[in-house]
Amino acid sequence: MSLRTRLSLGIGLLLVVALGLFGVAVVRSTRHDLRGQAQRQLERELGDRLRGNVPPPGSRGNSRDTSTDTRTLPTAHLVISPAGEVVVAEPSGPPSNPDPLPVLTAGDIADLRAGEAIEVDAEDGSFVYLVRGAPRGELLEVESMPLRGVDRTMSALIRRLLVGSVITLLLAVGAMMVGLRRGLRPLDEVVATADAVASGEREKRIPTDHGPAEIRHLSAALDRMLQQQRSAVTSLEDSEVRLRRFISDASHELQTPITSVIGWSELHRKGALDEAGTRAAIARIEAEGRRMAALVDDLSLLARLDEHRPLQRERIDLAAVAHDAVTDASVIDAGRA
């Protein structure tokens, strides 16, 4: 998996988590606010009833024609006896199509007497009521507000958040891909240059002045490494050239003393040399042996060529060199001038 893909997946996952947490926080806070508004409205309704600003139980809808009245009562009103029985029940909604009443258990009634706000299901389970209660003498006055509006609002909010999150995620991923492509372009140049160098283009340089600081540092380090590699390869090639040249020269130099030694040895074996010639032959064989020993010593020190061993220079008597060459040649071809 490429670096670009890993970064894209990682950032995309972070965006999904961030958007999810943001959505959950918005939904929870919005529902809390809406529930708080509903609870305050419910408490106002309950306070008005306790203060007598609302018609007495059973009279809210008596003066209305339920077949034509389309007004909607915002809350359901219940009166509960000390024994827990519902003695008055006025549903919310329009009189022509009232809402189902809330279902209150003995535990719910105890919580309401303690002054708590609770949520209970409607009789048909289609929605939820927010319920508050307050004592009036021995009776318990109960106001219940349907939370259908809150649920519809929350459903619409969740849909909008989902759509918005998907659009935001797509836009963010697109912008991220463009940014990563531009940001990693210098790294692609580094890779392309490294591939070119590996293919034989040794003189190519890695650009070290593009991209963010991290990529510039990486480019500079790789460029220094390639420079050192080029220097090492060049030094190795020079050493190989010197080695081949030395071996060629050494082979050529060894041919002459070997031929001379063989020639003097054959003359001595055939008895063609007198006492003075024998002494001369032995001297020449010894001299050529020392010459071959020197060449062998040089061959044993080939490793020093890589250390750039300096050439040794000294004065040589060219007449003596020429005399030795003529003497050795006369052994091989005596008739040659």
Side-chain angles (χ1 to χ4, degrees):
M1 186 181 295
S2 65
L3 176 62
R4 185 179 290 108
T5 303
R6 290 184 179 181
L7 289 175
S8 300
L9 291 177
I11 297 175
L13 181 60
L14 289 178
L15 283 175
V16 170
V17 173
L19 289 173
L21 293 177
F22 173 75
V24 170
V26 169
V27 169
R28 290 174 65 89
S29 62
T30 303
R31 192 178 192 285
H32 180 269
D33 293 341
L34 292 177
R35 188 183 186 280
Q37 294 177 4
Q39 183 171 337
R40 287 190 292 271
Q41 182 180 354
L42 188 61
E43 290 171 350
R44 285 196 299 269
E45 292 279 343
L46 185 60
D48 290 342
R49 184 171 296 281
L50 293 176
R51 288 189 295 270
N53 297 331
V54 178
S59 64
R60 269 206 297 186
N62 290 345
S63 61
R64 293 189 289 176
D65 183 2
T66 59
S67 63
T68 60
D69 191 356
T70 58
R71 291 178 296 171
T72 300
L73 296 178
T75 62
H77 174 234
L78 303 177
V79 177
I80 300 176
S81 68
E85 298 177 355
V86 178
V87 296
V88 176
E90 295 182 356
S92 60
S96 60
N97 185 25
D99 294 328
L101 292 171
V103 178
L104 296 176
T105 64
D108 296 333
I109 294 174
D111 292 337
L112 291 173
R113 291 185 184 276
E116 297 182 9
I118 62 174
E119 292 184 9
V120 298
D121 292 330
E123 290 177 341
D124 62 355
S126 60
F127 59 92
V128 175
Y129 278 100
L130 178 64
V131 186
R132 283 298 305 269
R136 174 182 281 182
E138 294 183 353
L139 300 177
L140 179 66
E141 295 280 351
V142 176
E143 292 290 329
S144 305
M145 176 173 289
L147 295 181
R148 286 176 299 193
V150 173
D151 293 337
R152 285 194 297 267
T153 301
M154 296 309 302
S155 297
L157 176 62
I158 291 173
R159 286 194 299 270
R160 292 188 177 95
L161 283 175
L162 288 175
V163 173
S165 297
V166 171
I167 294 175
T168 301
L169 184 61
L170 292 177
L171 292 177
V173 169
M176 176 182 60
M177 293 298 293
V178 173
L180 285 176
R181 185 177 293 108
R182 291 184 177 179
L184 295 178
R185 187 174 298 165
L187 189 59
D188 293 336
E189 295 179 1
V190 171
V191 173
T193 303
D195 289 340
V197 171
S199 300
E201 301 180 27
R202 297 181 184 173
E203 300 305 319
K204 260 184 115 52
R205 297 291 302 273
I206 294 179
T208 59
D209 55 350
H210 300 315
E214 293 80 1
I215 294 183
R216 290 201 302 271
H217 292 165
L218 175 63
S219 301
L222 289 176
D223 189 63
R224 288 194 299 271
M225 183 186 69
L226 289 177
Q227 292 294 334
Q228 295 174 357
Q229 183 185 25
R230 277 191 286 266
S231 299
V233 171
T234 302
S235 176
L236 180 61
E237 290 177 346
D238 292 343
S239 298
E240 290 178 352
V241 170
R242 290 195 302 270
L243 179 62
R244 287 194 295 270
R245 185 182 302 118
F246 180 81
I247 291 175
S248 176
D249 293 343
S251 300
H252 178 73
E253 290 294 327
L254 281 173
Q255 288 178 356
T256 301
I258 289 175
T259 303
S260 177
V261 168
I262 292 175
W264 285 107
S265 299
E266 288 182 351
L267 287 177
H268 180 68
R269 180 175 57 79
K270 293 177 180 180
L273 298 176
D274 54 12
E275 185 178 352
T278 299
R279 286 195 299 269
I282 292 173
R284 291 301 303 153
I285 290 173
E286 183 181 359
E288 295 301 335
R290 285 194 298 270
R291 182 178 176 184
M292 285 187 291
L295 289 174
V296 171
D297 289 340
D298 287 341
L299 287 174
S300 67
L301 297 177
L302 279 178
R304 296 185 183 180
L305 287 177
D306 290 334
E307 302 174 2
H308 305 285
R309 181 165 60 92
L311 296 176
Q312 295 180 358
R313 300 175 180 271
E314 60 182 11
R315 291 183 175 275
I316 296 295
D317 183 0
L318 294 183
V321 174
H323 177 270
D324 291 342
V326 169
T327 302
D328 293 338
S330 64
V331 173
I332 300 172
D333 189 1
R336 182 166 181 171

